[in-house]
Amino acid sequence: MTPKRYITGFVLSLILTCASFGIVWMHLAREHALISHTLLASTILALAIVQLVVQLVYFLHFGRESKARDVLSFGLAASLIAFIVMGSLWIMANLQHNGDTPYRGEVTPQTSND
Amino acid sequence: MNKVWHDKTYFGFWLYILSDCLLFSALFATYAVLRTATAGGPGPEELLDLPFVFVQTLVLLTSNLFMGLALATKNKRKVLAALAAALLFGLIFLGLEAREFTTLIAEGHGPSTSAFLSSFFGLVGMHGLHVAVGSLWMVVVMAHVWTRPSTELREGGSVYTKLRLLGLFWHFLDIVWIFIFSIVYLLSATV
Amino acid sequence: MSLFGLLTINDFFHAEVAAVVAQLAVVLGGIGVVGYLTVARKWGYVWREWLTSLSPMRIGVMYLLLSAVMLVRGAIDAGLMRTQQAIPVEFLSPEHFAQIFTAHGVIMIFFVAMPFMFGLINCIVPLQIGAKDVAFPLLNSVGFWLTFAGAMLVNLSLVAGEFAATGWLAYPPLSELEYSPGVGVDYYIWALQIAGVGTLLSGINFIVTITTMREKGMRWMQMPMFVWTTFASMLMIIFAFPVLTATLTMLSLDRLLDMHFFTSTLGGNAMMYVNLIWAWGHPEVYILILPAFGIYSEVVSTFSQKRLFGYTSMVVATMCISVLAFAVWLHHFFTMGAGADVNAFFGIMTVAISIPTGVKVFNWLFTMFRGRIIFATPMLWFMGFLFTFVIGGMTGVLLSIPAADYQLHNSLFLVAHFHNMIIGGVLFGFFAGLTYWFPKIFGFTLHEGLGKATFWLWLVGFLVAFMPLYALGLMGATRRVADAAWLPIYQPLFMLAFVGMLIIGVAFAVQVWQLAYSIYNRKKLQADANPWGGKGLEWQVSSPAPIIGERHPLGVLTGILSLVGGFALVWQIWWVVILSLVILVALYIRNSFTTHLHHE
């Protein structure tokens, strides 16, 4: 728990934050997109996860010296979060799609003229 | 000095933090689903101010640095100074956020305008509420540091434990913020 | 800011007779308890030995008492519904009926099953791991009192205002302000938010207790099954309850601040609520059943006089269930409109989760095989469970097939299924545990003969009350319908279900009689340390187990302030909300400076 650790963490986080904002700023500044939106999203998310790890390691001393129970519970939480969030997004997107697409054989409702 | 008590308390609080992660996940998922439900109004690309959020991010990060430094010393004065700095930056963060919120509301983009805005204010507001509560807690901890003997700052001491819990909470909030600025501000703005 | 918020004198006047009776019952009940304590001058004793007690044994008994009291209310709700559907007289309006089925569900899950579970856990888990107390004794007290406050808030809805009429999960848009303009849904939200915090805190408490306070030398794979299942259940609580908190928070923001998370206008998505609430709701039912499974493992081994078969596979199955429980939630809304791929995925996951449960059933059976069975009451509860739960489990697998569920969703078949699981599984398990551990908690056993009678009445009553519902569901009968005699072909089965309910009523009466009789004859029924010949550590201490004397008022004060603040939130009496919050925070801040429990 030395000051050096926190300062290193701070600097790394700063770099990663600037990278994220920088990439998006560059993407928005141009008329035509430099990279596909999917690649952009993946990059930003990846940078976020890297910064998460940086802060876990440098600020929260998470790592080889952590107790097994802290690591295991964190792993379980992360897995459940991933499943619930991904699952929810899949479900909701599926519902939305089914709502947007007419059922086979469905006739578009016509407004009454009476 | 009781290391056993410290260990139990830290683990218990760690579990609470994990549960809080689940709370934020539900709000994140809701934001992701409702992001496009702008009820015909402007969406994140138009409403969210990226440079402003960049400054906010740096402020919170700096606050976290000072929080960490408070834990890296056993000198009472230094601890108090670091905590005061952390608190100052935390309050600046809250002030900036309040500014952002009031501006949006004044311009007619309040949380009751659309599902997108509800989910935005809900998620970011919940984070802000946590920071506010944490700030109050920080004041209390500063009072503890001030009034208890310096020996309690040593590993296993009661004040040390309180500092570690606060530190865990504060760093957790910065980690949540990483995802807020990445997903809510950066990604939404680039649709 | 009005002095009383939305509360007016009219809110205390109810239109229906049944509502007035209920209101009087709560008021008179409250006055009765307070009056008795005052007249008999027992406040000092009750305050010292119970309300401020930090002993997990005392806290456990208070949970059990809360559960018993709320069981009466939940059962009356059930009785009212069954009666209306059996006799051709509609004495409950549809509005009122809706409040009753909502209250029935909310009370049974949150204020009967959960407290019953925490009661047994508090009394027994510390003993089983050889710990004197839980990890955070003060937090334990706070957790109980928050649950108590939530329960009392639900009871207060009978006195002033109304309760939610939305079903126990309060789906929007019905639960939104537009379609539920009264305070009913607000009572619902704040009762569950307050109780939910208590549950979460207790979940954390027991994980830390089991992880760090086991007797020296007790390794993970040496823990009793009740401890393992408690551990798994608490883990699920930590990860599931925050989702409930987040979802109800969003609903309350919709109602209070005109937001649009789940409204039907301005972009809200009610289906997201359904998705999130079940992401909590499914783990919740596993939270309830796993400790019951743990009890069965203890009971079957003691009363077969044989070691539990397949301990390792039991542990693995338990932990698998606790993870898989988070992967099946969509099966509660197969009919909401997701595509075949999504439905199939969750259908398969649902079938998958029945496998570890099956492993447990076989392990119990193999424990009994070549054992020397003692047909004591706890063992009877187990055997009744085995029979009914397997039926319920099979109907569950049936429902897990989306195509079949399309026919049966929200029919009485579904109602029969989940009551099968909760009564046959959870309630029977908790009854088994209560009977089994009663001597350890109170120092005397419950009368055995009356226990057996209770069991048989419950088993027969349950089967007669709920098996007809499977048939009714297959015949197309929908749940939550207030009409009496809506289709003549249904009538005989509704009457049969009604008879079953009466048998359950008799079972209740016998249970109460058993308790009263046993208390009266407690000297004769006095138990030694190990009346059943159990092998766990809890049987090494005296019966009753010793009580630790620590006490602190913060728990009960938290409960009182939460109840007052919760009531004020419902009626939007903002100055009371703020005042309660400020006092609460001030108390906790002061406590951090003054209290030194178990450290320094």
Side-chain angles (χ1 to χ4, degrees):
Chain A
M1 229 163 288
T2 61
K4 187 164 150 224
R5 227 187 145 103
Y6 289 105
I7 294 171
T8 315
F10 174 78
V11 170
L12 285 174
S13 298
L14 198 58
I15 294 170
L16 288 163
T17 304
C18 290
S20 294
F21 275 89
I23 291 177
V24 170
W25 179 68
M26 284 200 304
H27 182 90
L28 289 174
R30 304 201 176 226
E31 265 181 29
H32 304 290
L34 199 63
I35 53 176
S36 77
H37 182 67
T38 322
L39 186 58
L40 179 73
S42 314
T43 314
I44 301 294
L45 276 173
L47 285 171
I49 291 173
V50 172
Q51 201 180 142
L52 160 70
V53 174
V54 163
Q55 295 207 4
L56 270 175
V57 170
Y58 286 93
F59 288 168
L60 291 175
H61 308 283
F62 197 72
R64 242 168 294 157
E65 262 144 57
S66 294
K67 289 206 157 64
R69 63 196 189 202
D70 291 345
V71 178
L72 281 170
S73 52
F74 174 79
L76 185 57
S79 313
L80 291 176
I81 289 172
F83 197 93
I84 292 175
V85 173
M86 293 296 123
S88 296
L89 293 181
W90 184 38
I91 293 168
M92 298 310 294
N94 202 280
L95 288 168
Q96 186 67 37
H97 172 78
N98 280 355
D100 290 340
T101 331
Y103 179 68
R104 243 186 328 187
E106 178 189 312
V107 178
T108 359
Q110 311 212 316
T111 50
S112 166
N113 283 323
D114 291 333
Chain B
M1 317 292 163
N2 194 326
K3 189 159 191 304
V4 170
W5 175 76
H6 166 269
D7 280 352
K8 277 194 302 191
T9 310
Y10 189 82
F11 181 45
F13 198 71
W14 175 260
L15 290 172
Y16 160 71
I17 294 292
L18 291 179
S19 80
D20 229 4
C21 289
L22 265 293
L23 183 97
F24 278 105
S25 306
L27 294 171
F28 267 108
T30 307
Y31 177 81
V33 168
L34 297 177
R35 187 171 45 91
T36 51
T38 58
E45 333 69 68
E46 290 126 313
L47 292 178
L48 302 182
D49 187 344
L50 291 191
F52 194 80
V53 150
F54 182 66
V55 172
Q56 264 188 291
T57 308
L58 296 185
V59 167
L60 193 63
L61 188 59
T62 309
S63 177
N64 266 269
L65 171 63
F66 282 114
M67 182 72 233
L69 291 177
L71 274 162
T73 170
K74 301 292 170 215
N75 178 305
K76 221 198 228 194
R77 282 235 185 96
K78 286 189 189 162
V79 171
L80 281 170
L83 284 177
L87 180 63
L88 177 65
F89 279 91
L91 292 174
I92 293 174
F93 174 86
L94 284 174
L96 290 173
E97 189 148 281
R99 176 94 198 277
E100 183 192 23
F101 280 11
T102 46
T103 309
L104 279 170
I105 293 172
E107 287 169 359
H109 307 300
S112 48
T113 320
S114 68
F116 152 65
L117 282 161
S118 296
S119 62
F120 169 79
F121 276 91
L123 174 58
V124 182
M126 177 63 87
H127 177 267
L129 180 65
H130 276 71
V131 175
V133 171
S135 303
L136 174 63
W137 185 8
M138 202 173 284
V139 173
V140 176
V141 171
M142 285 170 77
H144 278 286
V145 173
W146 190 336
T147 56
R148 311 305 310 294
S150 298
T151 46
E152 293 299 332
L153 278 170
R154 278 192 241 139
E155 231 178 273
S158 67
V159 181
Y160 170 77
T161 306
K162 293 189 209 289
L163 277 169
R164 283 212 71 203
L165 296 190
L166 177 62
L168 177 52
F169 189 66
W170 210 244
H171 296 317
F172 155 72
L173 289 177
D174 200 42
I175 290 174
V176 173
W177 185 256
I178 296 171
F179 288 95
I180 290 183
F181 82 70
S182 297
I183 295 174
V184 175
Y185 290 90
L186 291 181
L187 285 185
S188 299
T190 58
V191 162
Chain C
M1 233 197 259
S2 161
L3 195 65
F4 294 109
L6 301 171
L7 188 62
T8 64
I9 197 73
N10 280 324
D11 296 304
F12 289 90
F13 289 107
H14 297 316
E16 288 183 35
V17 175
V20 175
V21 170
Q23 178 186 47
L24 283 173
V26 174
V27 172
L28 291 175
I31 292 175
V33 170
V34 171
Y36 167 72
L37 288 175
T38 311
V39 163
R41 294 163 115 173
K42 287 202 181 280
W43 277 112
Y45 163 77
V46 165
W47 179 262
R48 268 192 326 272
E49 297 298 326
W50 291 94
L51 305 189
T52 58
S53 171
L54 298 184
S55 157
M57 192 61 85
R58 287 265 152 89
I59 292 173
V61 171
M62 287 195 287
Y63 267 117
L64 292 175
L65 281 170
L66 176 68
S67 171
V69 168
M70 297 307 283
L71 179 57
V72 170
R73 220 199 116 177
I76 291 175
D77 284 333
L80 288 169
M81 288 191 282
R82 278 279 134 259
T83 307
Q84 169 139 321
Q85 287 179 322
I87 64 176
V89 174
E90 226 172 83
F91 60 94
L92 300 164
S93 66
E95 236 296 310
H96 195 182
F97 191 88
Q99 285 182 48
I100 289 177
F101 65 64
T102 306
H104 171 76
V106 170
I107 289 172
M108 289 306 203
I109 301 261
F110 289 99
F111 301 113
V112 175
M114 295 291 279
F116 204 153
M117 176 180 96
F118 275 117
L120 292 173
I121 289 174
N122 264 285
C123 289
I124 301 303
V125 166
L127 294 180
Q128 280 194 328
I129 61 174
K132 279 206 193 65
D133 201 341
V134 296
F136 309 113
L138 186 51
L139 211 64
N140 202 15
S141 172
V142 170
F144 166 71
W145 285 110
L146 286 171
T147 308
F148 178 85
M152 291 309 118
L153 204 52
V154 173
N155 287 338
L156 281 180
S157 73
L158 287 174
V159 178
E162 57 190 3
F163 197 61
T166 55
W168 78 284
L169 284 174
Y171 284 4
L174 180 58
S175 56
E176 295 281 359
L177 206 57
E178 194 183 346
Y179 300 105
S180 287
V183 294
V185 175
D186 301 296
Y187 267 116
Y188 168 89
I189 289 174
W190 297 113
L192 294 190
Q193 291 286 60
I194 292 169
V197 172
T199 304
L200 180 66
L201 295 176
S202 298
I204 293 174
N205 213 342
F206 281 99
I207 293 289
V208 179
T209 305
I210 293 170
T211 308
T212 64
M213 292 176 73
R214 271 170 288 133
E215 191 166 83
K216 221 165 140 130
M218 183 186 282
R219 298 201 299 272
W220 281 97
M221 293 307 272
Q222 291 172 323
M223 295 193 320
M225 276 316 297
F226 184 59
V227 177
W228 264 115
T229 52
T230 299
F231 179 78
S233 175
M234 300 299 110
L235 216 52
M236 288 194 283
I237 284 177
I238 291 172
F239 296 122
F241 267 78
V243 178
L244 177 70
T245 307
T247 312
L248 290 181
T249 301
M250 289 188 271
L251 184 63
S252 70
L253 287 172
D254 275 358
R255 291 177 62 87
L256 281 172
L257 296 178
D258 193 29
M259 293 209 209
H260 295 283
F261 291 100
F262 311 121
T263 53
S264 34
T265 54
L266 294 180
N269 194 334
M271 295 190 290
M272 187 55 178
Y273 178 97
V274 174
N275 175 63
L276 285 174
I277 208 82
W278 278 115
W280 163 82
H282 192 83
E284 165 66 7
V285 307
Y286 282 94
I287 287 167
L288 289 174
I289 195 70
L290 282 186
F293 284 170
I295 293 172
Y296 292 129
S297 294
E298 307 278 342
V299 163
V300 78
S301 133
T302 301
F303 294 100
S304 304
Q305 299 185 77
K306 197 160 156 275
R307 218 190 167 118
L308 183 70
F309 185 94
Y311 175 85
T312 308
S313 62
M314 276 301 214
V315 172
V316 172
T318 303
M319 298 316 289
C320 281
I321 290 173
S322 65
V323 174
L324 280 173
F326 285 90
V328 302
W329 78 91
L330 182 129
H331 71 226
H332 297 273
F333 49 95
F334 277 137
T335 58
M336 197 159 77
D341 48 354
V342 176
N343 279 355
F345 173 76
F346 281 95
I348 293 171
M349 293 305 285
T350 308
V351 172
I353 203 175
S354 71
I355 296 173
T357 312
V359 166
K360 284 179 160 286
V361 170
F362 281 114
N363 279 342
W364 289 319
L365 288 172
F366 292 147
T367 307
M368 290 171 71
F369 183 66
R370 297 238 172 105
R372 289 168 298 135
I373 315 269
I374 303 169
F375 290 96
T377 302
M379 189 60 175
L380 290 179
W381 284 115
F382 162 72
M383 294 171 81
F385 146 80
L386 206 58
F387 171 61
T388 60
F389 192 79
V390 169
I391 297 175
M394 289 196 291
T395 59
V397 175
L398 192 163
L399 287 164
S400 77
I401 314 297
D405 187 73
Y406 281 10
Q407 304 297 318
L408 297 167
H409 178 67
N410 275 352
S411 69
L412 287 178
F413 188 95
L414 173 68
V415 172
H417 163 73
F418 64 69
H419 281 91
N420 207 336
M421 306 310 260
I422 299 186
I423 296 181
V426 178
L427 194 62
F428 280 19
F430 292 168
F431 283 155
L434 183 63
T435 312
Y436 183 55
W437 283 313
F438 197 90
K440 186 55 54 187
I441 302 170
F442 296 104
F444 57 98
T445 56
L446 288 166
H447 185 269
E448 181 63 17
L450 287 171
K452 289 197 163 85
T454 304
F455 162 72
W456 284 110
L457 285 164
W458 255 108
L459 182 66
V460 172
F462 162 74
L463 288 169
V464 176
F466 285 96
M467 294 300 118
L469 263 54
Y470 279 123
L472 281 165
L474 286 166
M475 287 158 70
T478 320
R479 71 189 291 200
R480 293 177 175 167
V481 176
D483 291 358
W486 21 300
L487 242 133
I489 194 172
Y490 292 162
Q491 223 30 50
L493 289 167
F494 271 125
M495 299 262 9
L496 193 55
F498 177 72
V499 170
M501 181 206 82
L502 290 176
I503 299 174
I504 293 179
V506 176
F508 264 132
V510 174
Q511 246 172 336
V512 172
W513 174 240
Q514 180 201 32
L515 193 60
Y517 183 89
S518 306
I519 293 173
Y520 187 75
N521 288 298
R522 60 189 179 278
K523 289 229 165 42
K524 228 183 358 174
L525 293 165
Q526 203 168 40
D528 60 18
N530 199 348
W532 308 113
K535 295 281 186 253
L537 270 183
E538 75 269 32
W539 304 110
Q540 304 292 317
V541 298
S542 62
S543 296
I547 308 276
I548 49 172
E550 303 246 8
R551 54 180 67 95
H552 201 291
L554 192 59
V556 63
L557 291 174
T558 305
I560 295 171
L561 286 165
S562 303
L563 180 55
V564 170
F567 186 80
L569 272 164
V570 168
W571 293 99
Q572 298 183 29
I573 312 172
W574 299 119
W575 67 271
V576 174
V577 175
I578 293 170
L579 194 60
S580 324
L581 200 57
V582 167
I583 296 175
L584 200 57
V585 171
L587 279 175
Y588 274 88
I589 292 177
R590 181 170 166 272
N591 176 67
S592 73
F593 285 93
T594 58
T595 303
H596 305 291
L597 281 167
H598 299 303
H599 59 95
E600 292 179 69

